[in-house]
Amino acid sequence: MKLATKLLSVTAIVSATSAAAVDLEVTHWWTSGGEAAAVGKLAEAFDASGDHWVDGAIAGSGGTARPIMISRITGGDPMGATQFNHGQQALELVEAGFMLDITDVAEANNWEEVIFPPALLDACTIDGRVYCAPVNIHSPEWLWLSNKVYEDLGLPVPTNWDEFVASADAVRAGGKIPLALGNQPWQSSLAFGALQIAVAGIDAWRAVNVDKDMDVASGPVFAAVFEAAANARALAVGSNVQDWNQATNLVITDQAAGQIMGDWAQGEFQVAQEVAGTDYTCLPGLGLNAYLSTGGDAFYFPKLDDPEQEAAQKRLAALLVTPDVQVSFNLAKGSLPIRGDVDLSAANDCMRKGLEVLAAGNLVPGGDMVWTPDTQTQVADLMVEFWKSDMSAADAQAAWVAILQND
Ligand code: GAL
């Protein structure tokens, strides 16, 4: 670790211990086994630095928690810090003046130098000012497989989505659910997003998601994506669970063969003491196009109009980005760190695969960074309708293009 960073980290800690410990309420939606283990690492580090993390966990996914967070901030009952996916989710709160500018923290700790990829800091920066501390890259585009399901059936563990689909009949005949999928709307959306990159490839993905090229969106390459989504829909029949981690549990307990889910699923395998590469297999980019999107989680700090609280908010912001916290949190969370100068020798098989993708620069911006929350909600609603009905792939594609055109 660079001497400067070490000195700054010590400074941050000394300043906290010399000042009276301050309680900060921190809201987030990390309530599954793996998520709770990971957020516990953040709380532990903040308490050890001399302040006190008052945990404000909100059960349910981000779609449940964010409206609660936003209404507290805009309704005059702000917390000390809150999780959002960085990008557009907190944009309106920042523009309305509710959120603390932490540019001084970013500058004092050289975030511009240490945060990698720079897109993560860009996603926290509005009009040249920094408003959030990124804590991870939470790539959604992974396929998680139960090795045991395949071994018990005498089948090779698939190495990509195509092999996974091809093995589905045998898996179903063996009494297992091919694809575990929970009923929360964002899960269908996530699966569709992962299939986009895997099936359409990166150039077509960029054409639609970055250049907003509606000809490509309505063309044959994305028709293949919607056909793949229709395949996935058939494979998920029988997966009657609600939350994402319940679907992950179907794979962990070898009731289902696989799940398309973000890297946070890995936290669940770890809590279940399953070993990557031995008990389960992870395929970034569903094994077809190993690209990861650089969306992620970050903490924002509502203005509290209290100098002592504000000082503690800034100590927390600095702490979240330090190398030690980055390692302890991301190893528990299953996500990737937001800086390249950390020692991840403890990384397991899956994190190493993620780090290889990161090192190769095979990155795309996350959905939270390219589409408005409203567009994302409409796409999620369409996906729920598509995945829960017999809507044709062609009709779904037409409806999808109509939504994107109004972003
Ligand atoms: C995402 C978040 C992940 C994970 C997931 C499921 O928005 O970035 O860290 O918590 O929700 O809850």
Side-chain angles (χ1 to χ4, degrees), residues 32-374:
S32 77
E35 292 172 330
V39 77
K41 298 292 185 188
L42 301 180
E44 199 179 295
F46 193 49
D47 290 353
S49 74
D51 286 307
H52 181 48
W53 175 293
V54 178
D55 199 64
I58 302 171
S61 65
T64 308
R66 284 190 291 271
I68 295 169
M69 295 159 170
I70 291 168
S71 61
R72 279 194 55 186
I73 293 166
T74 55
D77 176 23
M79 62 297 289
T82 187
Q83 171 197 4
F84 281 112
N85 299 125
H86 47 347
Q88 303 203 20
Q89 282 176 8
L91 184 60
E92 291 178 4
L93 287 171
V94 170
E95 289 174 337
F98 286 108
M99 308 311 278
L100 183 64
D101 177 335
I102 58 169
T103 308
D104 54 340
V105 177
E107 288 170 351
N109 293 282
N110 298 321
W111 284 6
E112 210 158 304
E113 264 182 47
V114 300
I115 289 180
F116 178 80
L120 300 177
L121 185 57
D122 295 345
C124 283
T125 304
I126 295 161
D127 298 335
R129 309 299 293 174
V130 177
Y131 290 93
C132 66
V135 291
N136 68 6
I137 297 174
H138 74 161
S139 46
E141 303 84 5
W142 293 77
L143 180 60
W144 304 93
L145 300 168
S146 156
N147 290 3
K148 188 173 188 313
V149 164
Y150 292 95
E151 287 158 2
D152 289 356
L153 293 172
L155 296 171
V157 177
T159 63
N160 63 43
W161 174 254
D162 296 338
E163 291 175 12
F164 175 75
V165 173
S167 69
D169 287 348
V171 166
R172 187 76 81 182
K176 304 294 182 181
I177 303 163
L179 184 68
L181 177 76
N183 288 328
Q184 292 163 321
W186 64 270
Q187 292 185 54
S188 310
S189 231
L190 179 140
F192 176 67
L195 286 168
Q196 277 192 54
I197 295 181
V199 174
I202 200 59
D203 295 338
W205 185 91
R206 280 207 175 93
V208 172
N209 289 278
V210 179
D211 306 333
K212 310 288 172 73
D213 182 332
M214 293 301 115
D215 291 338
V216 175
S218 52
V221 170
F222 274 83
V225 174
F226 278 89
E227 284 305 329
N231 278 341
R233 175 172 63 186
L235 302 187
V237 171
S239 171
N240 300 320
V241 292
Q242 182 64 16
D243 294 342
W244 69 269
N245 49 314
Q246 292 170 316
T248 310
N249 191 257
L250 290 175
V251 180
I252 289 172
T253 54
D254 312 313
Q255 298 174 68
Q259 179 190 22
I260 298 174
M261 187 42 66
D263 54 29
W264 50 90
Q266 186 166 196
E268 304 307 296
F269 286 98
Q270 288 183 140
V271 165
Q273 296 183 325
E274 294 222 325
V275 178
T278 306
D279 302 309
Y280 66 98
T281 296
C282 54
L283 299 175
L286 313 191
L288 290 177
N289 280 303
Y291 275 78
L292 297 175
S293 59
T294 54
D297 296 297
F299 281 89
Y300 290 76
F301 306 87
K303 285 177 181 168
L304 298 177
D305 199 16
D306 172 331
E308 204 182 61
Q309 291 259 309
E310 182 176 306
Q313 287 175 306
K314 292 189 172 180
R315 291 196 290 270
L316 176 57
L319 188 69
L320 293 172
V321 176
T322 55
D324 291 353
V325 170
Q326 275 296 303
V327 171
S328 62
F329 168 72
N330 281 291
L331 285 180
K333 187 78 172 53
S335 43
L336 295 174
I338 51 93
R339 50 189 301 165
D341 59 349
V342 292
D343 170 22
L344 283 168
S345 50
N348 68 11
D349 180 54
C350 293
M351 181 174 267
R352 288 186 195 289
K353 288 182 179 178
L355 290 168
E356 282 163 18
V357 173
L358 196 56
N362 290 357
L363 304 170
V364 294
D368 300 315
M369 297 147 110
V370 293
W371 299 106
T372 62
D374 180 46

